Amino acid sequence: MSNQSGSNDSGSERGESEPSGLKPTGSQIDCARSCDDLHIEAALTFLTELGTSTLESGYATEATLLIVGSCAAAWGLRDVSVCGVGRVVIVQCSDNNGNTMSRLAEASTLDAFDCDRMRRIKDVARQTVVEQLHPNTACERLKAANAGPQPFPWWSVQAGGVLLAFCICLQIGGHALAAVLAAGTQLVVNLSGRWFGKHGVPTFFTVAVQAAGAGAFGGLFHGLGWLTVAQAATVVATAWVLIAPLPQLMSTAIDVVSSDSLTALARALGAALIIGGITLGGLLMLALSWRFDLGIAGDPTLPQLPVWLGIIFAILGAIGNALFNVGGRNLLVPAAVAGLVTASVNQTLIHVGHLPSVWAGPLAAVVLGFLAAATANWLRLPMSALALVGITGALLPGLIVCQGLILSVYQVSGIGYFVQAGAVCVALGIGASFGVYLWSVLARSPWAASTD
């Protein structure tokens, strides 16, 4: 664009010595300016749609701005400014006459996390930069990327959730039967949440019903004599930690580290809404449980898996989470490696370094975030997706929630455990984002320079 404009200027300067027939006419200049304006408008349209798509699929705001900015730079737009405020993305630049042109768009949500959609959108951004796509072509490819297709059949998401719940329940000490029942409970809880979402039920009430429903299933399994109180607590705790807004907490931590306080606040409020729904549903379930005689409290100590078996279930859990968050085939093997590395580091810190699990988990998340940032470009996968599957497969504080729940059903305050579990979730997100920061320092590049 700028080269074309430069040739017009030089042509006008040589007008005295060139035949008048070669001089651009007023209509030709207006047409050229009109084409430039249309090109810039199309570029701004694509950039704002790209920004909202990245936010909706699960990217943090800093990553969104880097992705959008790289595409704008590839087109050579002048005085480009990209800003994200909450769910709103604003892109502005200058035309060839110095006039400011801008577009803004609003993402529909900040709470979703779709691994394969994140990958598809990032591929479109990469194609835009490498192939110098025309803005209209880029818009068409972005629409196709947002529309799918899904990497696996619809039921694979539920299958991933079932596998993840089974593995988490075993990791926190659940009996084999409890793990099977936890998997079934997770399936019902997730499907009910999707049904409520399709019918427009507010998230707060949806989560409250899901949390109370999980508690009711745990009580039913105990009432039927299938599980002890402690084993039933593992079923409920598994469902609750999977409802917990870990992706939002991770993105909030990244936004805080990158000093994007407004968007971090918006994400934090959304996460607080989900946590509030879990709290309400949990209180309703506990109030109901207190009306029944649960007998004398038995031994609340839960069995522990051997280290090697715990690592195996962490790997399977990471694969299950990849499916649960709509990850494609190219995410499954990296997810297994992320689960292996994270669980190995966590277990080493606990058993060799003798660190408490509440400290070992966030430190393992630092290692995971560092490795995710280092390999994201090479694997062509979203960095946050790699971090999430590793954390969910190996580090969720299900045992802490279970301990608090066992105390609470016997009317002994377990609030300290629940607060600790929430703090651990936040620390996991901060640890992963700090690992990414360490990689950026080592690579001598800006924060998250991988455009992820």
Side-chain angles (χ1 to χ4, degrees), residues 349-367:
L349 291 174
I350 292 174
H351 295 285
V352 178
H354 303 291
L355 287 178
S357 60
V358 294
W359 288 101
L363 289 176
V366 173
V367 176

PDB file of all heavy atoms in Angstrom, residues 349-367:
ATOM      1  N   LEU A 349       9.291 -33.933  43.917  1.00  0.00           N
ATOM      2  CA  LEU A 349       9.327 -32.885  44.931  1.00  0.00           C
ATOM      3  C   LEU A 349       8.721 -33.365  46.247  1.00  0.00           C
ATOM      4  O   LEU A 349       9.195 -32.988  47.328  1.00  0.00           O
ATOM      5  CB  LEU A 349       8.574 -31.651  44.427  1.00  0.00           C
ATOM      6  CG  LEU A 349       9.228 -30.884  43.269  1.00  0.00           C
ATOM      7  CD1 LEU A 349       8.300 -29.788  42.774  1.00  0.00           C
ATOM      8  CD2 LEU A 349      10.559 -30.290  43.697  1.00  0.00           C
ATOM      9  N   ILE A 350       7.688 -34.201  46.156  1.00  0.00           N
ATOM     10  CA  ILE A 350       7.029 -34.677  47.375  1.00  0.00           C
ATOM     11  C   ILE A 350       7.857 -35.744  48.082  1.00  0.00           C
ATOM     12  O   ILE A 350       8.106 -35.667  49.299  1.00  0.00           O
ATOM     13  CB  ILE A 350       5.626 -35.218  47.039  1.00  0.00           C
ATOM     14  CG1 ILE A 350       4.705 -34.073  46.594  1.00  0.00           C
ATOM     15  CG2 ILE A 350       5.020 -35.942  48.244  1.00  0.00           C
ATOM     16  CD1 ILE A 350       3.351 -34.527  46.107  1.00  0.00           C
ATOM     17  N   HIS A 351       8.305 -36.760  47.327  1.00  0.00           N
ATOM     18  CA  HIS A 351       8.944 -37.922  47.946  1.00  0.00           C
ATOM     19  C   HIS A 351      10.454 -37.772  48.111  1.00  0.00           C
ATOM     20  O   HIS A 351      11.031 -38.361  49.042  1.00  0.00           O
ATOM     21  CB  HIS A 351       8.633 -39.171  47.126  1.00  0.00           C
ATOM     22  CG  HIS A 351       7.178 -39.535  47.111  1.00  0.00           C
ATOM     23  ND1 HIS A 351       6.544 -40.118  48.179  1.00  0.00           N
ATOM     24  CD2 HIS A 351       6.224 -39.380  46.160  1.00  0.00           C
ATOM     25  CE1 HIS A 351       5.266 -40.312  47.897  1.00  0.00           C
ATOM     26  NE2 HIS A 351       5.041 -39.870  46.661  1.00  0.00           N
ATOM     27  N   VAL A 352      11.087 -37.027  47.228  1.00  0.00           N
ATOM     28  CA  VAL A 352      12.534 -36.832  47.342  1.00  0.00           C
ATOM     29  C   VAL A 352      12.847 -35.502  48.042  1.00  0.00           C
ATOM     30  O   VAL A 352      13.695 -35.441  48.938  1.00  0.00           O
ATOM     31  CB  VAL A 352      13.205 -36.886  45.959  1.00  0.00           C
ATOM     32  CG1 VAL A 352      14.714 -36.624  46.082  1.00  0.00           C
ATOM     33  CG2 VAL A 352      12.945 -38.231  45.293  1.00  0.00           C
ATOM     34  N   GLY A 353      12.145 -34.443  47.619  1.00  0.00           N
ATOM     35  CA  GLY A 353      12.371 -33.145  48.241  1.00  0.00           C
ATOM     36  C   GLY A 353      11.615 -32.933  49.529  1.00  0.00           C
ATOM     37  O   GLY A 353      11.838 -31.931  50.217  1.00  0.00           O
ATOM     38  N   HIS A 354      10.690 -33.849  49.854  1.00  0.00           N
ATOM     39  CA  HIS A 354       9.900 -33.786  51.092  1.00  0.00           C
ATOM     40  C   HIS A 354       9.134 -32.459  51.218  1.00  0.00           C
ATOM     41  O   HIS A 354       9.008 -31.899  52.300  1.00  0.00           O
ATOM     42  CB  HIS A 354      10.796 -33.991  52.323  1.00  0.00           C
ATOM     43  CG  HIS A 354      11.552 -35.284  52.290  1.00  0.00           C
ATOM     44  ND1 HIS A 354      10.942 -36.513  52.428  1.00  0.00           N
ATOM     45  CD2 HIS A 354      12.887 -35.538  52.108  1.00  0.00           C
ATOM     46  CE1 HIS A 354      11.852 -37.476  52.350  1.00  0.00           C
ATOM     47  NE2 HIS A 354      13.038 -36.913  52.151  1.00  0.00           N
ATOM     48  N   LEU A 355       8.628 -31.964  50.094  1.00  0.00           N
ATOM     49  CA  LEU A 355       7.804 -30.757  50.106  1.00  0.00           C
ATOM     50  C   LEU A 355       6.343 -31.124  50.282  1.00  0.00           C
ATOM     51  O   LEU A 355       5.894 -32.163  49.781  1.00  0.00           O
ATOM     52  CB  LEU A 355       7.972 -29.985  48.800  1.00  0.00           C
ATOM     53  CG  LEU A 355       9.284 -29.231  48.573  1.00  0.00           C
ATOM     54  CD1 LEU A 355       9.264 -28.570  47.202  1.00  0.00           C
ATOM     55  CD2 LEU A 355       9.507 -28.189  49.650  1.00  0.00           C
ATOM     56  N   PRO A 356       5.561 -30.296  50.968  1.00  0.00           N
ATOM     57  CA  PRO A 356       4.114 -30.535  51.028  1.00  0.00           C
ATOM     58  C   PRO A 356       3.512 -30.454  49.626  1.00  0.00           C
ATOM     59  O   PRO A 356       4.005 -29.716  48.765  1.00  0.00           O
ATOM     60  CB  PRO A 356       3.609 -29.395  51.925  1.00  0.00           C
ATOM     61  CG  PRO A 356       4.814 -28.899  52.655  1.00  0.00           C
ATOM     62  CD  PRO A 356       5.972 -29.123  51.747  1.00  0.00           C
ATOM     63  N   SER A 357       2.433 -31.179  49.409  1.00  0.00           N
ATOM     64  CA  SER A 357       1.823 -31.207  48.078  1.00  0.00           C
ATOM     65  C   SER A 357       1.326 -29.837  47.639  1.00  0.00           C
ATOM     66  O   SER A 357       1.306 -29.531  46.442  1.00  0.00           O
ATOM     67  CB  SER A 357       0.678 -32.216  48.053  1.00  0.00           C
ATOM     68  OG  SER A 357      -0.317 -31.863  48.997  1.00  0.00           O
ATOM     69  N   VAL A 358       0.921 -29.002  48.618  1.00  0.00           N
ATOM     70  CA  VAL A 358       0.418 -27.675  48.255  1.00  0.00           C
ATOM     71  C   VAL A 358       1.523 -26.790  47.688  1.00  0.00           C
ATOM     72  O   VAL A 358       1.242 -25.808  46.981  1.00  0.00           O
ATOM     73  CB  VAL A 358      -0.233 -26.980  49.468  1.00  0.00           C
ATOM     74  CG1 VAL A 358      -1.480 -27.725  49.896  1.00  0.00           C
ATOM     75  CG2 VAL A 358       0.744 -26.877  50.634  1.00  0.00           C
ATOM     76  N   TRP A 359       2.794 -27.104  47.957  1.00  0.00           N
ATOM     77  CA  TRP A 359       3.917 -26.379  47.378  1.00  0.00           C
ATOM     78  C   TRP A 359       4.462 -27.104  46.153  1.00  0.00           C
ATOM     79  O   TRP A 359       4.899 -26.465  45.187  1.00  0.00           O
ATOM     80  CB  TRP A 359       5.036 -26.208  48.410  1.00  0.00           C
ATOM     81  CG  TRP A 359       4.712 -25.224  49.489  1.00  0.00           C
ATOM     82  CD1 TRP A 359       4.291 -25.489  50.761  1.00  0.00           C
ATOM     83  CD2 TRP A 359       4.754 -23.800  49.377  1.00  0.00           C
ATOM     84  NE1 TRP A 359       4.082 -24.316  51.454  1.00  0.00           N
ATOM     85  CE2 TRP A 359       4.364 -23.260  50.627  1.00  0.00           C
ATOM     86  CE3 TRP A 359       5.101 -22.923  48.347  1.00  0.00           C
ATOM     87  CZ2 TRP A 359       4.297 -21.894  50.860  1.00  0.00           C
ATOM     88  CZ3 TRP A 359       5.032 -21.553  48.576  1.00  0.00           C
ATOM     89  CH2 TRP A 359       4.639 -21.054  49.827  1.00  0.00           C
ATOM     90  N   ALA A 360       4.453 -28.417  46.199  1.00  0.00           N
ATOM     91  CA  ALA A 360       4.998 -29.186  45.081  1.00  0.00           C
ATOM     92  C   ALA A 360       4.194 -28.951  43.806  1.00  0.00           C
ATOM     93  O   ALA A 360       4.765 -28.848  42.711  1.00  0.00           O
ATOM     94  CB  ALA A 360       5.020 -30.671  45.430  1.00  0.00           C
ATOM     95  N   GLY A 361       2.864 -28.873  43.929  1.00  0.00           N
ATOM     96  CA  GLY A 361       2.028 -28.684  42.744  1.00  0.00           C
ATOM     97  C   GLY A 361       2.337 -27.410  41.980  1.00  0.00           C
ATOM     98  O   GLY A 361       2.611 -27.441  40.770  1.00  0.00           O
ATOM     99  N   PRO A 362       2.310 -26.232  42.638  1.00  0.00           N
ATOM    100  CA  PRO A 362       2.638 -24.997  41.912  1.00  0.00           C
ATOM    101  C   PRO A 362       4.051 -24.990  41.336  1.00  0.00           C
ATOM    102  O   PRO A 362       4.279 -24.441  40.256  1.00  0.00           O
ATOM    103  CB  PRO A 362       2.476 -23.911  42.989  1.00  0.00           C
ATOM    104  CG  PRO A 362       1.449 -24.473  43.928  1.00  0.00           C
ATOM    105  CD  PRO A 362       1.736 -25.943  43.967  1.00  0.00           C
ATOM    106  N   LEU A 363       5.015 -25.596  42.037  1.00  0.00           N
ATOM    107  CA  LEU A 363       6.373 -25.657  41.485  1.00  0.00           C
ATOM    108  C   LEU A 363       6.420 -26.540  40.243  1.00  0.00           C
ATOM    109  O   LEU A 363       7.127 -26.233  39.267  1.00  0.00           O
ATOM    110  CB  LEU A 363       7.340 -26.180  42.546  1.00  0.00           C
ATOM    111  CG  LEU A 363       7.633 -25.224  43.711  1.00  0.00           C
ATOM    112  CD1 LEU A 363       8.516 -25.896  44.750  1.00  0.00           C
ATOM    113  CD2 LEU A 363       8.283 -23.943  43.201  1.00  0.00           C
ATOM    114  N   ALA A 364       5.678 -27.651  40.268  1.00  0.00           N
ATOM    115  CA  ALA A 364       5.593 -28.487  39.067  1.00  0.00           C
ATOM    116  C   ALA A 364       4.918 -27.728  37.931  1.00  0.00           C
ATOM    117  O   ALA A 364       5.266 -27.902  36.752  1.00  0.00           O
ATOM    118  CB  ALA A 364       4.832 -29.771  39.380  1.00  0.00           C
ATOM    119  N   ALA A 365       3.952 -26.860  38.273  1.00  0.00           N
ATOM    120  CA  ALA A 365       3.287 -26.051  37.247  1.00  0.00           C
ATOM    121  C   ALA A 365       4.261 -25.072  36.602  1.00  0.00           C
ATOM    122  O   ALA A 365       4.130 -24.754  35.412  1.00  0.00           O
ATOM    123  CB  ALA A 365       2.104 -25.301  37.858  1.00  0.00           C
ATOM    124  N   VAL A 366       5.246 -24.567  37.365  1.00  0.00           N
ATOM    125  CA  VAL A 366       6.267 -23.689  36.789  1.00  0.00           C
ATOM    126  C   VAL A 366       7.046 -24.434  35.705  1.00  0.00           C
ATOM    127  O   VAL A 366       7.271 -23.913  34.605  1.00  0.00           O
ATOM    128  CB  VAL A 366       7.220 -23.175  37.888  1.00  0.00           C
ATOM    129  CG1 VAL A 366       8.378 -22.399  37.263  1.00  0.00           C
ATOM    130  CG2 VAL A 366       6.480 -22.291  38.879  1.00  0.00           C
ATOM    131  N   VAL A 367       7.463 -25.655  36.023  1.00  0.00           N
ATOM    132  CA  VAL A 367       8.190 -26.470  35.042  1.00  0.00           C
ATOM    133  C   VAL A 367       7.319 -26.731  33.818  1.00  0.00           C
ATOM    134  O   VAL A 367       7.777 -26.632  32.670  1.00  0.00           O
ATOM    135  CB  VAL A 367       8.633 -27.798  35.680  1.00  0.00           C
ATOM    136  CG1 VAL A 367       9.312 -28.694  34.647  1.00  0.00           C
ATOM    137  CG2 VAL A 367       9.560 -27.539  36.862  1.00  0.00           C
TER     138      VAL A 367
END
